[in-house]
């Protein structure tokens, strides 16, 4: 069993952790820079030393070829005498390592092989220093050693610990200041979000995160949070409105059923009267049940679970069947229903839901059209979209009501006298949204034109589909006065 | 790029080698080389005097440096370009 020890508050603070990480990164990068500079500088010094040794050895080789050992000795003495930098190290020794020239009192014991570099300890004016040397074998067993005093590099190397110490102090101070600044920025940003969240939790639902106006990442986050809060607010308003609407709209039929039953229980004289009252009450309660079913169906559609049942469907025959079905109903109401759809309208979606959405629009059109009126059901394929239009010659929906027309239970002034639950257009909207589509409501002058736009399937090898697409390529776009009641969503 | 790590390091520290061009004897040798030259400009004479004085007062390396400067001027100042 693990025992969790309480951490000190300082490590629980995200701002302190952020500051610590900043300080650590700053220190690491500073140390890395110092080490890189040291490495590059010592490397450059070594390269210079090696170049000087190489140049000297080339010169001695030439003197050897010109005049042999005496010439090399003279050249060496001259170079030592003019060595203003006081860095040249030479040694010329015979076959038995006896000293022939140079400025070393004997051949270094650790230089045992020609053709490679050695570091040799020297005593210069009583001080121990180091030299980098290179050994050569000349003809006749003569040994040549050329080198440079590298005390400068050694001094620089010895400077490193001191440099690192000072760098540590400076870096620590700068890291501390930087960390405090970072901590302040972080705390200020978090404090604004935190105080807004606390205010909202305390009931101040209209509170929003303040933006600095700099347009930076914090502003982008504040905007995203505010958008989220606005969205939540709208959803809460919707829930509240639907709850109120349910309570209001269902109270009437339930009260009516109760009154009927009570009246029948008190006044019914015969079994037939009692049965008739019960049947009317059952009809009222069936209406209540159907409202709940419609609400549940809308909720199910909005949840998106039906999307898994999507399939390739052809709306052409589907709309023709609906026209047949509703044509008879329209005739009963002394209306004329006309149909204008191509043979094939391929879409990817839920057949039953699209059928129900169009049926709702036709239901509304029949319900609100005056006797002798005309209802038109048309569809076309345009710009990879299938446009289904139902227009009537009824009173239409006033411009100011169109945005709210698809809210649950919304009923305009002119619809209050007509039977209905106010859920029909809400369901159409939900179906359109489920299909990544749009529902448009606009004036048919007179009447209402309801348009469902859904994406069509991409063209296939089927020649009929291509033919239809070509046939409808010149179709017009949405009506300029149309109100988009469902924002098209992408997934 | 060569680094000290790339050079042959002795497993055991070798005994240090004495550098002969830091000694009073070498300072004297340089003084003789300068004095052998017949015509010495004033700045060379100044360097020569400073070098000799420093060597006499134990500042051998600084004295050697002055004398080397003097020799360099004598050998290179009027060289045809």
């Amino acid at each position: 069993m693990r025992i969790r020890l309480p951490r000190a508050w300082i490590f629980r603070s995200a701002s302190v952790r952020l500051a610590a990480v900043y300080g650590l990164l700053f220190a690491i990068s500073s140390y890395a820079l110092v080490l890189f500079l040291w490495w590059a500088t010592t490397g450059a010094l070594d390269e210079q030393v090696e170049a000087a040794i190489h140049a000297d050895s080339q010169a001695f080789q030439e003197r050897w070829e010109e005049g042999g050992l005496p010439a090399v000795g003279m050249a060496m003495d001259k170079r030592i005498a003019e060595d203003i930098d006081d860095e040249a190290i030479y040694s010329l020794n015979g076959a038995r390592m006896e000293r022939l020239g140079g400025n070393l009192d004997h051949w270094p014991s650790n230089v045992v092989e020609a053709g490679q570099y050695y570091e040799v300890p020297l005593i210069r004016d009583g001080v121990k220093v180091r030299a980098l040397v290179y050994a050569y074998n000349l003809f006749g067993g003569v040994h040549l050693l050329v080198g440079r005093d590298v005390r400068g590099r050694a001094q620089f190397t010895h400077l490193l610990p001191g440099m690192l110490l000072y760098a540590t102090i400076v870096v620590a101070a700068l890291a501390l200041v930087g960390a405090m600044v970072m901590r302040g920025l972080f705390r200020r940003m978090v404090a604004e979000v935190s105080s807004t969240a606390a205010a909202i939790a305390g009931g101040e639902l209209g509170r929003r995160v303040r933006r600095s106006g700099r347009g930076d990442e914090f502003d982008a986050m504040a905007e995203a949070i505010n958008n989220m809060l606005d969205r939540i607010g709208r959803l809460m308003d919707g829930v509240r409105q639907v709850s109120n609407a349910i309570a209001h709209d269902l109270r009437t039929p339930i009260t009516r059923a109760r009154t009927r039953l009570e009246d029948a229980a008190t006044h019914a004289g015969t079994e037939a009267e009692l049965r008739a009252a019960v049947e009317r009450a059952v009809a009222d309660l069936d209406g209540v049940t159907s409202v709940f079913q419609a609400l549940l169906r809308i909720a199910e559609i909005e949840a998106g679970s039906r999307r898994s049942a999507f399939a390739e469907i052809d709306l052409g025959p589907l709309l023709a069947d609906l026209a047949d079905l509703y044509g008879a109903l329209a005739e009963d109401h002394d209306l004329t229903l006309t149909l204008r759809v191509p043979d094939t309208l391929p879409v990817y979606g839920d057949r039953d839901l699209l059928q129900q959405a169009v049926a709702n629009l036709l239901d509304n059109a029949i319900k609100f059209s005056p006797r002798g009126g005309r209802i038109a059901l048309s569809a076309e394929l345009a710009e990879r979209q299938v446009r289904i239009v139902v227009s009537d010659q009824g009173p239409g929906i006033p411009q100011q009501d169109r945005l709210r027309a698809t809210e649950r239970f919304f009923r305009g002034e002119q619809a209050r006298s007509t039977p209905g639950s106010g859920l029909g257009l809400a369901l159409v909207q939900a179906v359109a949204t489920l299909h990544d589509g749009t529902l448009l409501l606009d004036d048919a002058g007179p009447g209402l034109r309801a348009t469902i736009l859904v994406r069509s399937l991409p063209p296939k090898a089927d020649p009929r589909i291509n033919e239809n697409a070509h046939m409808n390529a010149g179709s017009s776009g949405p009506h300029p006065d149309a109100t988009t009641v469902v924002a098209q969503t992408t997934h | 790029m060569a680094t000290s790590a790339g050079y042959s390091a002795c497993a055991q520290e070798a005994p240090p080698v004495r550098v002969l061009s830091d000694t009073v004897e070498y300072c004297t040798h340089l003084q003789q080389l300068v004095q052998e030259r017949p015509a010495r400009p004033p700045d060379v004479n100044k360097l020569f005097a400073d070098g000799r004085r420093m060597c006499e007062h134990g500042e051998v390396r600084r004295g050697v440096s002055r004398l080397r400067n003097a020799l360099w001027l004598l050998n290179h100042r009027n060289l045809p370009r």
Side-chain angles (χ1 to χ4, degrees):
Chain A
M1 179 180 166
R2 292 182 62 186
I3 299 172
R4 290 176 67 105
L5 295 174
R7 288 191 298 172
W9 70 268
I10 198 163
F11 294 114
R12 288 199 302 268
S13 165
S15 60
V16 171
R17 286 201 301 275
L18 181 69
V21 169
Y22 169 83
L24 189 65
L25 286 177
F26 185 78
I28 288 172
S29 54
S30 301
Y31 274 121
L33 181 64
V34 168
L35 288 174
F36 173 77
L37 288 175
W38 176 82
W39 175 77
T41 307
T42 54
L45 289 173
D46 287 340
E47 279 186 350
Q48 282 182 357
V49 168
E50 289 171 14
I53 290 172
H54 182 71
D56 279 359
S57 62
Q58 286 287 104
F60 289 139
Q61 294 276 0
E62 288 169 9
R63 296 289 90 73
W64 176 268
E65 287 165 9
E66 287 169 7
L69 188 59
V72 172
M74 284 177 61
M76 195 172 278
D77 286 343
K78 188 169 185 292
R79 280 175 179 267
I80 293 169
E82 294 181 359
D83 179 25
I84 294 171
D85 295 332
D86 196 20
E87 289 178 345
I89 302 295
Y90 304 121
S91 188
L92 192 62
N93 295 65
R96 288 193 293 272
M97 288 300 175
E98 70 277 17
R99 183 172 178 277
L100 301 175
N103 58 352
L104 296 183
D105 72 343
H106 65 269
W107 187 268
S109 60
N110 62 325
V111 180
V112 294
E113 194 175 343
Q116 64 179 26
Y117 285 99
Y118 291 90
E119 277 198 7
V120 173
L122 302 176
I123 294 289
R124 303 204 67 172
D125 200 17
V127 178
K128 192 173 176 183
V129 298
R130 301 192 79 79
L132 185 66
V133 301
Y134 199 89
Y136 301 87
N137 287 331
L138 302 180
F139 288 110
V142 176
H143 303 281
L144 172 66
L145 186 139
V146 179
R148 283 290 183 277
D149 182 342
V150 290
R151 95 189 82 173
R153 194 193 71 186
Q155 285 170 352
F156 186 74
T157 303
H158 291 144
L159 276 177
L160 184 65
M163 281 169 56
L164 287 179
L165 179 65
Y166 287 121
T168 301
I169 295 168
V170 173
V171 164
L174 289 175
L176 190 64
V177 172
M180 294 307 290
V181 171
M182 289 287 294
R183 180 170 177 263
L185 284 173
F186 182 75
R187 282 172 70 95
R188 214 162 39 242
M189 184 265 292
V190 171
E192 179 58 33
V193 175
S194 177
S195 69
T196 303
I200 290 171
E204 197 183 334
L205 300 179
R207 176 80 174 270
R208 294 292 180 266
V209 181
R210 273 198 304 272
R211 296 179 56 184
S212 67
R214 288 189 291 269
D216 55 11
E217 292 85 348
F218 294 152
D219 272 3
M221 188 186 72
E223 191 174 346
I225 291 173
N226 289 343
N227 288 341
M228 179 189 73
L229 292 173
D230 290 343
R231 172 78 173 146
I232 291 171
R234 284 196 298 273
L235 290 173
M236 285 176 63
D237 287 344
V239 169
R240 193 179 300 117
Q241 185 186 347
V242 167
S243 304
N244 293 339
I246 289 172
H248 181 267
D249 283 30
L250 298 189
R251 190 180 59 182
T252 305
I254 290 172
T255 305
R256 196 161 55 219
R258 183 189 177 281
T259 306
R260 285 190 208 286
L261 291 172
E262 189 179 37
D263 185 57
T266 311
H267 300 105
T270 63
E271 185 185 335
E273 286 176 0
L274 189 62
R275 185 179 296 278
V278 169
E279 284 174 355
R280 285 197 296 272
V282 167
D284 285 336
L285 294 175
D286 280 347
V288 173
T289 306
S290 68
V291 168
F292 276 113
Q293 281 174 342
L295 279 172
L296 287 173
R297 191 155 177 76
I298 292 170
E300 180 196 24
I301 294 167
E302 287 181 344
S305 57
R306 294 290 294 258
R307 202 173 273 123
S308 59
F310 275 17
E312 294 182 11
I313 56 174
D314 188 352
L315 284 182
L318 184 148
L319 295 177
D321 289 346
L322 277 172
D324 281 346
L325 186 64
Y326 279 87
L329 191 60
E331 279 180 18
D332 291 345
H333 288 76
D334 199 15
L335 299 168
T336 307
L337 174 61
T338 60
L339 173 71
R340 188 169 60 86
V341 296
D343 291 339
T344 305
L345 280 172
V347 298
Y348 186 71
D350 187 307
R351 179 186 182 83
D352 291 342
L353 291 180
L354 287 169
Q355 187 174 26
Q356 185 167 4
V358 178
N360 279 13
L361 295 179
L362 289 171
D363 258 338
N364 281 350
I366 290 171
K367 203 159 48 180
F368 290 104
S369 290
R371 286 195 170 274
R374 295 173 64 85
I375 297 170
L377 169 60
S378 62
E380 59 186 5
L381 189 63
E383 296 173 359
R384 296 194 175 181
Q385 281 194 317
V386 171
R387 177 197 305 269
I388 307 163
V389 182
V390 176
S391 58
D392 60 49
Q393 294 178 324
I397 300 175
Q399 176 77 37
Q400 67 271 17
D401 286 346
R402 282 182 206 160
L403 274 176
R404 298 190 58 208
T406 54
E407 291 177 2
R408 292 172 180 81
F409 297 109
F410 177 81
R411 308 204 71 200
E413 283 299 324
Q414 291 161 317
R416 291 202 186 281
S417 57
T418 311
S421 60
L423 294 172
L425 286 179
L427 189 137
V428 179
Q429 179 193 22
V431 171
T433 304
L434 183 73
H435 288 79
D436 296 337
T438 309
L439 171 62
L440 304 172
L441 299 176
D442 60 295
D443 191 0
L448 177 71
R449 177 163 49 226
T451 306
I452 298 174
L453 290 167
V454 290
R455 278 187 300 189
S456 69
L457 277 174
K460 282 182 161 180
D462 186 345
R464 288 184 308 159
I465 296 175
N466 288 335
E467 186 181 324
N468 284 315
H470 177 71
M471 181 180 74
N472 293 298
S475 301
S476 59
H479 191 280
D481 293 334
T483 300
T484 305
V485 291
V486 177
Q488 187 163 356
T489 56
T490 56
H491 295 271
Chain B
M1 187 181 294
T3 65
S4 60
Y7 305 132
S8 296
C10 42
Q12 292 179 332
E13 182 75 359
V17 183
R18 198 163 70 94
V19 177
L20 302 176
S21 53
D22 294 333
T23 58
V24 176
E25 292 78 13
Y26 189 70
C27 189
T28 308
H29 171 65
L30 288 181
Q31 289 173 40
Q32 288 170 355
L33 290 178
V34 175
Q35 282 178 315
E36 285 170 2
R37 307 297 283 266
R40 296 195 298 272
D43 53 349
V44 172
N45 275 332
K46 174 80 167 58
L47 286 168
F48 173 75
D50 286 349
R52 185 170 61 182
R53 181 172 47 79
M54 286 175 179
C55 285
E56 286 170 0
H57 288 82
E59 297 178 67
V60 178
R61 291 193 64 186
R62 292 181 65 195
V64 167
S65 177
R66 294 289 196 283
L67 293 168
R68 277 174 167 159
N69 270 297
L71 268 176
W72 194 91
L73 288 173
L74 286 171
N75 291 336
H76 297 276
R77 173 176 280 171
N78 296 318
L79 281 178
R81 289 178 185 273

